[in-house]
């Protein structure tokens, strides 16, 4: 393991702890960085379970694709899936190669296959290619995690350009349509699709007009798709995070002012760490959740949805 990962918080995932003090609480330092943000630049460093996630073969032999698997929630899911025995492909933007390579090393260290797929989800052909390349490399696809997103805060509708609106919808909604459409012909009974919506789907932040609208669309899309897929034995569920300590936030997802108090507004009084959501994605991908489909799962530090 690199020196960097040595400095990540250490904790045993099964040790009983006080969730109030388990992880850093606000205030946080200002730390602007351009989008897409890099995990490598975050202070304090997020915890993706590098030193804590322990697998038990819950996904042994499965083949997974995770968009945005380089950083944040996607990285934590990639680590957990690999340690549970799945081969893991990650999609990410070319400028995120540094973060992605760190994840590829962690997947390989778990003794499973890793596949790095850089490119832009706003392009339909890239989305289709992500599915085809994963199927080709792993010999199939059993788990699709649609997790990548664009989030740019703006105080007023007057500041949202058509380009921003278009890119947010292409990344968050169109890509989900293109990915699922290409994936479904490859999915066997028992396969699962997991989408990432947000608390913004039902409690939209006024400074995230376009983003919140895409997150509501993802929630509806997942519910409708789950109905279509049931007769094929394929399940689809949506995860709805509240505030999570990821590179999405300092890179334009929030104002620096809001970042300083990020997570303060939820009952637990702090942001979640990516490591704290990974086990939910494992549950929804594994056979343990065989009767769960069409669900929406808030993971918000206690803020009600
Ligand atoms: P993140 O920045 O670490 O991950 C988002 C990823 O999206 C990036 O790593 C990037 O690889 C990918 N991406 C963005 N645009 C892309 C494009 N055009 N082509 C290919 N990839 C692209 O941040 P995160 O917080 O881990 O985000 C993961 C998911 O969690 C997102 O769907 C986000 O909306 C959701 N979410 C996050 C929070 C939070 O507070 N962090 C809250 C609610 C929901
Ligand atoms: Mg990233």
């Amino acid at each position: 393991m690199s020196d960097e990962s040595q400095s990540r918080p250490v904790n045993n995932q099964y040790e009983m702890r006080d969730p109030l003090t388990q992880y850093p609480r606000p205030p946080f330092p200002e730390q602007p960085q351009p989008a897409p943000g890099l995990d490598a630049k975050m202070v304090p460093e997020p915890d993706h379970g590098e030193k804590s996630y322990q697998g038990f073969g819950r996904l042994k032999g499965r083949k997974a694709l995770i968009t945005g698997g380089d950083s944040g929630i996607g990285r934590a899911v990639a680590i957990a899936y690999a340690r549970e025995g799945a081969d893991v492909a990650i999609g990410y933007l070319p400028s995120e190669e540094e973060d992605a390579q760190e994840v590829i090393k962690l997947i390989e260290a778990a003794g499973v296959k890793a596949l790095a797929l850089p490119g832009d989800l706003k392009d339909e052909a890239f989305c289709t290619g992500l599915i085809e390349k994963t199927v080709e490399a792993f010999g199939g696809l059993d788990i699709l995690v649609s997790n990548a997103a664009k989030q740019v805060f703006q105080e007023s509708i007057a500041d949202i350009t058509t380009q921003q609106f278009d890119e947010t919808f292409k990344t968050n909604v169109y890509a989900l349509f293109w990915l699922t459409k290409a994936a479904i012909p490859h999915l066997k009974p028992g396969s699962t699709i997991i989408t990432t919506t947000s608390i913004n789907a039902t409690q939209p932040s006024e400074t995230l007009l376009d983003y919140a609208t895409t997150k509501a669309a993802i929630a509806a899309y997942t519910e409708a798709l789950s109905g279509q897929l049931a007769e094929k034995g394929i399940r689809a569920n949506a995860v709805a995070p509240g505030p999570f300590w990821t590179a999405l936030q300092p890179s334009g997802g929030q104002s620096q002012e809001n970042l300083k108090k990020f997570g303060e507004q939820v009952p637990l009084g702090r942001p979640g760490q990516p490591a704290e959501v990974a086990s939910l994605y494992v549950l929804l991908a594994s056979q343990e959740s065989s009767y769960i489909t069409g669900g929406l799962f808030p993971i918000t530090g206690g803020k009600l949805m």
Side-chain angles (χ1 to χ4, degrees), residues 271-304:
Q273 292 292 327
E276 297 181 281
V277 74
S279 55
L280 179 55
Y281 284 82
V282 171
L283 172 69
L284 294 175
S286 85
Q287 204 57 32
E288 293 163 288
S289 60
S290 52
Y291 199 61
I292 303 179
T293 191
L296 188 143
F297 296 87
I299 178 157
T300 61
K303 185 150 186 198
L304 302 181

Side-chain angles (χ1 to χ4, degrees), residues 18-203:
D18 182 348
L20 292 170
T21 53
Q22 184 170 350
Y23 283 111
R25 301 176 66 85
F28 298 110
E30 288 188 19
Q31 47 194 294
Q33 54 164 315
L38 290 178
D39 266 350
K41 291 186 183 163
M42 290 195 71
V43 187
E45 226 177 346
D47 181 10
H48 310 91
E50 287 88 343
K51 298 174 99 177
S52 56
Y53 193 90
Q54 196 185 343
F56 295 100
R58 293 161 78 190
L59 301 174
K60 197 159 192 282
R62 306 287 169 86
K63 301 148 198 332
L65 168 64
I66 305 166
T67 65
D70 59 300
S71 58
I73 291 171
R75 178 189 290 214
V77 176
I79 292 169
Y81 280 10
R83 292 186 187 172
E84 295 290 358
D87 292 332
V88 181
I90 58 167
Y92 56 92
L93 284 163
S95 63
E96 299 174 301
E97 194 61 40
E98 176 187 349
D99 274 354
Q101 282 311 320
E102 207 175 315
V103 178
I104 293 294
K105 276 190 234 139
L106 287 159
I107 296 169
E108 286 173 346
V112 292
K113 284 187 206 157
L115 182 63
L117 298 168
D120 190 340
L121 289 167
K122 297 195 292 296
D123 174 17
E124 179 173 2
F126 174 72
C127 291
T128 311
L130 271 185
I131 303 294
E132 302 305 334
K133 284 178 184 156
T134 305
V135 168
E136 200 180 312
F138 295 166
L141 178 69
D142 309 305
I143 304 164
L144 171 63
V145 178
S146 179
N147 164 76
K150 182 177 174 74
Q151 174 186 327
V152 182
F153 93 98
Q154 301 287 7
E155 295 295 342
S156 162
I157 184 173
D159 302 321
I160 302 177
T161 61
T162 298
Q163 185 185 350
Q164 175 180 326
F165 194 84
D166 191 48
E167 289 184 356
T168 304
F169 271 77
K170 284 270 160 55
T171 309
N172 300 6
V173 182
Y174 279 65
L176 174 60
F177 168 61
W178 293 326
L179 288 165
T180 47
K181 194 170 178 183
I184 289 163
H186 297 286
L187 301 179
K188 298 187 298 289
S191 300
T192 58
I193 294 171
I194 304 163
T195 64
T196 309
T197 173
S198 166
I199 191 166
N200 272 282
T202 58
Q203 291 185 258

